Amino acid sequence: MTHELDIIPGTEWGFFTLPRPMCIAGPCSAETEEQVMETARGLSEFGIHVFRAGIWKPRTHPGSFEGVGVTGLKWLNKVKETYGMKVCTEVATEKHVRECINYGVDIIWIGARTSTNPFLMQEIADALSGTDIPVLVKNPVNPDLDLWVGALERLNRAGIRKLGVVHRGFSTSASIPYRNDPGWKIAIELRTRYPQMAFFADPSHMAGDRRYLQELSQRAMDLGLDGLMVESHCNPSCAWSDARQQLTPQDLRTLLERLVIRENSSEDKNYRDGIDTLRARIDVIDEQLLTLLQERMEVSRSIGRYKKEHNVAILQAVRWEQILSDMVKRADAMDISREAVLAIMTAIHDESVRVQNKILEQL
Ligand code: PEP
Ligand code: MN
């Protein structure tokens, strides 16, 4: 079932004047007035118009730095006055919303731990009813597209039309180089359903490490997303939260300059735009295939251990014949050639036998 959303595109909010990517940048957390002002100064120097800073921080452990609270909203006001920037921060409760409205915060975002929770989403939507403030909804920490859409619907029903999303990846127990699984497939699905909705990627929380920001930002652009929300701090290694993933304003400037941005407006849609978006999708699928293979080999190892315990031979020819013939039948129905399926499955099976034999050889 598709859920209609009545949305005003990000380009019509009047905040993002430069071409793609629309950029929101600033520290993970507002820490001190000096840190906020110094970071905003560095960012405003190269045309960043929207400043972010967390005031209330959702932290895993109590006792970690949980944000400076309302004091930080005064600093955000100073950023507006001094540098003419728009400011945005995260809200998680009705009280946060009221404080943001009182202090004239220009955009608010809902964090990944909050968008998972329909009760909180409804509370926030009710508090926002009757306002015109743009709201960005980060994806829920778990890869649940419906939950994400549900959060958007609640806000939309409360009359919020300046709605956008921030894709920051999903919690995972898989061993990947990033802090969160990019899970681009879900982002692509949401983008396809609501192409007019302002769509940001947050490479900082996806990566968890500044080394990966360039590649993830490029991927977001190749997928045709509108903007980036990036954490930037005047002195990243001393940040009170998320120190490893923040960039100095200067390094953010370099990152943005290195991005290859291809137009994807419908008027000048040409071959290159199309092919790059498709290739980016292929890259995402290939990464998923590799992760699946890794998982499959993990299971093979467990099977190897199990067979060893029970003194059973690795190669089970009858079972293997059965698997192959089932796969070939399915492939026929999917219009994939038998030869291709046989070749791929044989290679996977060979690797699986190799992995199991290795277990057997271990004493
Ligand atoms: C943040 O943007 O600082 C933040 C807490 O992000 P997320 O909700 O994506 O973890
Ligand atoms: Mn952060």
Side-chain angles (χ1 to χ4, degrees):
M1 189 163 104
T2 48
H3 304 267
E4 296 300 322
L5 294 176
D6 176 18
I7 293 169
I8 301 178
T11 44
E12 292 170 30
W13 301 352
F15 296 166
F16 301 100
T17 44
L18 293 175
R20 243 181 13 123
M22 307 196 289
C23 194
I24 300 175
C28 178
S29 308
E31 299 163 3
T32 64
E33 182 171 334
E34 294 67 38
Q35 168 251 7
V36 165
M37 296 310 290
E38 178 58 14
T39 308
R41 186 187 61 77
L43 294 168
S44 67
E45 272 175 9
F46 62 97
I48 301 290
H49 294 302
V50 184
F51 184 78
R52 65 150 278 157
I55 301 295
W56 301 281
K57 299 301 300 177
R59 303 306 299 275
T60 305
H61 297 286
S64 311
F65 171 60
E66 289 183 322
V68 293
V70 173
T71 318
L73 295 176
K74 296 181 189 145
W75 306 337
L76 291 186
N77 260 316
K78 200 162 167 197
V79 168
K80 287 171 70 149
E81 279 163 24
T82 312
Y83 300 112
M85 296 169 103
K86 302 287 181 189
V87 295
C88 68
T89 197
E90 172 175 348
V91 298
T93 65
E94 176 190 348
K95 183 173 165 291
H96 296 164
V97 172
R98 301 218 181 284
E99 298 289 12
C100 285
I101 293 170
N102 281 344
Y103 280 87
V105 169
D106 300 293
I107 306 182
I108 57 175
W109 85 80
I110 317 274
R113 292 157 197 79
T114 308
S115 62
T116 52
N117 185 328
F119 290 129
L120 282 176
M121 283 311 307
Q122 194 56 54
E123 175 183 316
I124 293 168
D126 292 343
L128 283 166
S129 179
T131 69
D132 186 33
I133 188 165
V135 182
L136 303 177
V137 182
K138 289 196 166 197
N139 63 265
V141 281
N142 47 324
D144 184 335
L145 181 57
D146 267 343
L147 201 52
W148 200 358
V149 170
L152 293 164
E153 281 183 281
R154 286 177 198 277
L155 293 164
N156 203 217
R157 284 184 182 201
I160 299 296
R161 295 180 62 226
K162 292 177 184 163
L163 258 190
V165 288
V166 183
H167 180 54
R168 47 79 83 197
F170 305 99
S171 284
T172 177
S173 56
S175 58
I176 56 169
Y178 309 131
R179 174 176 172 184
N180 286 294
D181 179 355
W184 293 111
K185 199 166 176 288
I186 290 185
I188 293 166
E189 173 66 28
L190 189 65
R191 179 63 159 176
T192 310
R193 281 197 210 174
Y194 307 106
Q196 79 282 27
M197 184 164 57
F199 209 124
F200 291 81
D202 171 349
S204 308
H205 290 89
M206 211 176 261
D209 186 317
R210 52 189 148 268
R211 278 182 298 168
Y212 305 123
L213 294 183
Q214 188 82 47
E215 66 192 47
L216 289 171
S217 303
Q218 186 63 53
R219 174 59 59 78
M221 291 301 101
D222 291 345
L223 288 171
L225 305 191
D226 302 309
L228 298 171
M229 180 191 264
V230 190
E231 286 189 340
S232 176
H233 188 292
C234 55
N235 188 2
S237 54
C238 296
W240 297 1
S241 57
D242 288 350
R244 269 155 48 101
Q245 69 195 32
Q246 304 205 56
L247 284 179
T248 61
Q250 189 49 46
D251 285 345
L252 174 59
R253 179 182 199 157
T254 308
L255 180 150
L256 293 173
E257 283 167 0
R258 284 190 186 147
L259 282 181
V260 181
I261 305 294
R262 297 174 180 107
E263 285 306 320
N264 65 345
S265 68
S266 56
E267 305 91 70
D268 53 35
K269 221 178 185 45
N270 55 31
Y271 171 76
R272 282 230 65 81
D273 292 336
I275 201 77
D276 287 327
T277 304
L278 291 170
R279 281 184 180 147
R281 288 190 183 191
I282 288 280
D283 289 348
V284 168
I285 293 171
D286 286 348
E287 278 164 24
Q288 288 173 334
L289 283 174
L290 212 54
T291 308
L292 275 178
L293 269 181
Q294 184 201 22
E295 276 179 33
R296 195 188 190 284
M297 292 310 151
E298 249 338 292
V299 177
S300 290
R301 271 186 205 96
S302 304
I303 292 180
R305 274 183 225 110
Y306 203 64
K307 286 181 180 164
K308 188 176 173 185
E309 268 170 43
H310 293 83
N311 210 20
V312 172
I314 294 293
L315 193 61
Q316 300 283 321
V318 176
R319 172 164 156 76
W320 175 237
E321 291 302 325
Q322 186 59 48
I323 292 179
L324 260 195
S325 80
D326 286 352
M327 293 296 271
V328 165
K329 263 187 232 138
R330 284 195 203 173
D332 273 345
M334 291 171 170
D335 205 18
I336 305 174
S337 84
R338 284 172 177 232
E339 294 70 30
V341 171
L342 282 174
I344 293 165
M345 291 310 295
T346 304
I348 291 175
H349 184 246
D350 288 352
E351 178 64 3
S352 185
V353 170
R354 189 190 68 81
V355 158
Q356 291 189 35
N357 270 326
K358 228 169 127 191
I359 298 279
L360 211 62
E361 284 159 15
Q362 287 165 5
L363 289 175

